[in-house]
Amino acid sequence: MNMQEHEIKIYLDRVSSYLPFSGEQKEQLLRELRPELEEAIETNQSLDKTFGDPQMTAKNLLKTTQFDYEFATWKRRITAYMIDTGIIWVFLLIFVGIPLYLADAEYDLERDWSEFNTSEITIMILLILYSSSIFIIGFSYYIIPERLYGQTIGKRLLGIHVMDISGIRIGWKQAIVRNIAKYNTEFLPLEFILGWLIRKGDESIQKATDTLAETRVVMYKSEMIQQ
Amino acid sequence: MDSIINPDLLERWSIEFKKGFAKPMILLSLKQKENYPYSLTREINAKTLGAINIAGSNIYPLLSGMKKQGLITSTKSIEQNRTIYKLTESGENYLETLQKEIFDFLTMILSIIQEEKI
C-alpha cells in the first residue's frame, strides 16, 4: 500500500468512526467517498486540508441521508444507567474489592505503619494505585464505548444511542464532557433538573451535560437512507 | 476619534457575501457539463480564481438540497463508483431566471458603488 492509499484509508476510517449505524449501512457512503478522495489527494496536500476535517465530512455526508429518531425516554435512560452501574460494580467487586479484602485478611491493613515490612508496604502501595483505577475504570466504561459505538452495554440493551446534535457519533471531548458528572452519582438528579430548566419547553429533556456537550440520547426509528 | 477596525472584519464580510454565490456557481458549472462533486469544487475554485472555495465535503449538502428542489439530478457511475450530477430541464429554466436576477442586482450595486466614488 503506497503513502496515498494509506492516507486515504486513514481518512476513510476517521470519517467512518463518526458515521452512525452499522458498517453495512455506511459502506455505500464510504465507497462513493473514496474516488473523491483519490482525486483530492492528487493535489499533494493533506486530505484534511483539501477535503476538510473528517468529522465535518461525516456531518456533510449525513446531511445527504435521512433517518428518523426520537429522544430516548427517561425510563430507558435510567434503566440503561442502572445496568451500566451494576456492571461496573460487579467488575470492581471482583477485581478491586475482593483483592483488597484478601489483602486486609493477609496483612491486617489496620496495623500501625511502623509494623509493616518493605514488601508489605510495596503491596499496599500497589493496592492503593490499583484501587485508584476505580475512577479511571468507571469513567472509561462510559467514555470509550460511547465515542466508538455510541452505546454502552446498558444503552445497547435498551436500544438507545448517544449522538452529536448533527446526528454523527460523538467525539472524545463530547464523551468526556457529557459523562463528567458520573464521577459523583449524586450529581445526576441535579444534572437532569438543570437540563430541564435550560431546555424548558423543548420536547427533548436532556441532562445539562448533554446540552453542554451538544449531544442527544435517542432511539433510531428507521435505517439510514441515502437521498 | 476613529475606532480601530478589526483586520479580520473584511475577510469575514467577504466570505459572507461570496458564500451566496456558491449555489449559482454550481448550477452554472453544471450547465456547461455534468460533473462529480469534488471536480465541481475544483472547477469553481479555478473559475473564480479562488474567490469561491468550497471545501471538499461542504458541497455534498448543497448538491443534496438542490437535488431535492429538482434543480439537478444524479446518476451513479458503476464503473467509477461515483455519483455524477447534471442540471435538469427545470434547473436550466430556473438558472436562466436566476442569472438575470443576479445580473440586475449586481448592476444596481455597482452603480451605487460608482456613484459613491464620483
Side-chain angles (χ1 to χ4, degrees), chain A residues 69-87:
Chain A
Y69 66 86
E70 61 185 11
F71 292 102
T73 60
W74 287 70
K75 213 197 287 187
R76 279 188 188 259
R77 291 188 66 169
I78 289 167
T79 308
Y81 174 71
M82 285 166 61
I83 292 170
D84 288 328
T85 304
I87 291 169

Side-chain angles (χ1 to χ4, degrees), chain A residues 86-99:
Chain A
I87 291 169
I88 292 170
W89 278 111
V90 166
F91 179 88
L92 290 173
L93 179 70
I94 296 169
F95 293 100
V96 180
I98 292 174

Side-chain angles (χ1 to χ4, degrees), chain B residues 8-87:
Chain B
D8 293 333
L9 190 63
L10 179 61
E11 192 182 339
R12 278 190 273 130
W13 280 43
S14 181
I15 290 169
E16 266 178 43
F17 72 71
K18 285 172 189 171
K19 231 194 243 186
F21 289 95
K23 285 195 221 177
M25 282 307 303
I26 290 171
L27 293 178
L28 281 165
S29 284
L30 289 175
K31 184 183 177 185
Q32 288 173 4
K33 68 168 196 224
E34 55 190 38
N35 213 338
Y36 305 104
Y38 183 71
S39 302
L40 259 175
T41 65
R42 287 181 73 172
E43 194 175 295
I44 291 167
N45 188 31
K47 268 188 185 157
T48 61
L49 304 175
I52 296 175
N53 184 21
I54 307 169
S57 69
N58 287 353
I59 199 166
Y60 294 126
L62 296 176
L63 291 171
S64 180
M66 286 190 275
K67 189 179 163 185
K68 263 193 255 183
Q69 287 159 347
L71 299 171
I72 61 177
T73 187
S74 65
T75 46
K76 287 205 195 317
S77 158
I78 297 164
E79 310 87 45
Q80 292 175 315
N81 200 27
R82 291 179 86 170
T83 303
I84 195 162
Y85 291 86
K86 66 177 187 181
L87 218 54

Side-chain angles (χ1 to χ4, degrees), chain B residues 86-97:
Chain B
K86 66 177 187 181
L87 218 54
T88 60
E89 200 180 314
S90 312
E92 284 192 33
N93 297 334
Y94 176 78
L95 181 59
E96 210 177 297
T97 314

Side-chain angles (χ1 to χ4, degrees), chain A residues 60-71:
Chain A
N60 284 330
L61 282 175
L62 206 65
K63 284 179 191 172
T64 67
T65 68
Q66 189 181 323
F67 64 94
D68 284 329
Y69 66 86
E70 61 185 11
F71 292 102

Side-chain angles (χ1 to χ4, degrees), chain A:
Chain A
M1 190 187 282
N2 61 33
M3 286 283 287
Q4 286 188 340
E5 258 304 309
H6 183 67
E7 193 180 338
I8 290 171
K9 186 186 180 308
I10 290 174
Y11 191 90
L12 282 170
D13 286 344
R14 287 165 72 195
V15 171
S16 177
S17 78
Y18 285 108
L19 289 173
F21 298 100
S22 66
E24 220 176 289
Q25 286 176 302
K26 58 188 174 184
E27 190 64 33
Q28 179 61 29
L29 280 177
L30 296 170
R31 268 203 301 265
E32 286 186 25
L33 183 60
R34 172 174 274 278
E36 298 279 287
L37 298 176
E38 285 168 356
E39 190 178 335
I41 210 162
E42 284 168 11
T43 59
N44 290 321
Q45 289 184 319
S46 74
L47 286 172
D48 277 43
K49 195 164 179 189
T50 52
F51 224 79
D53 175 64
Q55 192 175 17
M56 182 52 72
T57 297
K59 282 184 188 176
N60 284 330
L61 282 175
L62 206 65
K63 284 179 191 172
T64 67
T65 68
Q66 189 181 323
F67 64 94
D68 284 329
Y69 66 86
E70 61 185 11
F71 292 102
T73 60
W74 287 70
K75 213 197 287 187
R76 279 188 188 259
R77 291 188 66 169
I78 289 167
T79 308
Y81 174 71
M82 285 166 61
I83 292 170
D84 288 328
T85 304
I87 291 169
I88 292 170
W89 278 111
V90 166
F91 179 88
L92 290 173
L93 179 70
I94 296 169
F95 293 100
V96 180
I98 292 174
L100 272 174
Y101 176 78
L102 293 174
D104 185 37
E106 177 77 17
Y107 299 106
D108 186 11
L109 298 176
E110 289 170 23
R111 283 182 285 153
D112 193 82
W113 274 92
S114 59
E115 294 175 29
F116 286 96
N117 62 39
T118 310
S119 61
E120 285 172 336
I121 290 171
T122 309
I123 288 165
M124 276 190 61
I125 290 169
L126 286 172
L127 282 171
I128 290 167
L129 288 171
Y130 187 36
S131 34
S132 300
S133 65
I134 290 173
F135 172 73
I136 297 166
I137 290 164
F139 224 26
S140 303
Y141 174 88
Y142 289 100
I143 293 171
I144 295 171
E146 282 186 2
R147 164 61 189 103
L148 298 179
Y149 310 110
Q151 294 176 305
T152 55
I153 295 171
K155 286 186 171 71
R156 189 175 175 85
L157 289 171
L158 272 295
I160 59 179
H161 302 253
V162 183
M163 67 176 202
D164 176 85
I165 51 172
S166 68
I168 63 170
R169 287 205 177 131
I170 62 176
W172 289 109
K173 193 172 151 190
Q174 287 174 297
I176 290 167
V177 168
R178 71 176 306 280
N179 284 298
I180 211 151
K182 287 195 177 87
Y183 170 61
N184 189 338
T185 54
E186 286 161 13
F187 288 146
L188 268 176
L190 181 63
E191 259 201 284
F192 275 101
I193 292 166
L194 268 176
W196 178 77
L197 286 171
I198 291 166
R199 300 182 66 83
K200 199 173 174 184
D202 190 315
E203 63 177 48
S204 67
I205 299 173
Q206 303 285 313
K207 294 188 292 140
T209 45
D210 274 316
T211 304
L212 195 65
E214 294 186 341
T215 58
R216 299 285 180 269
V217 181
V218 300
M219 279 182 66
Y220 295 132
K221 287 168 71 179
S222 71
E223 305 280 292
M224 183 174 69
I225 307 161
Q226 220 172 339
Q227 291 176 326

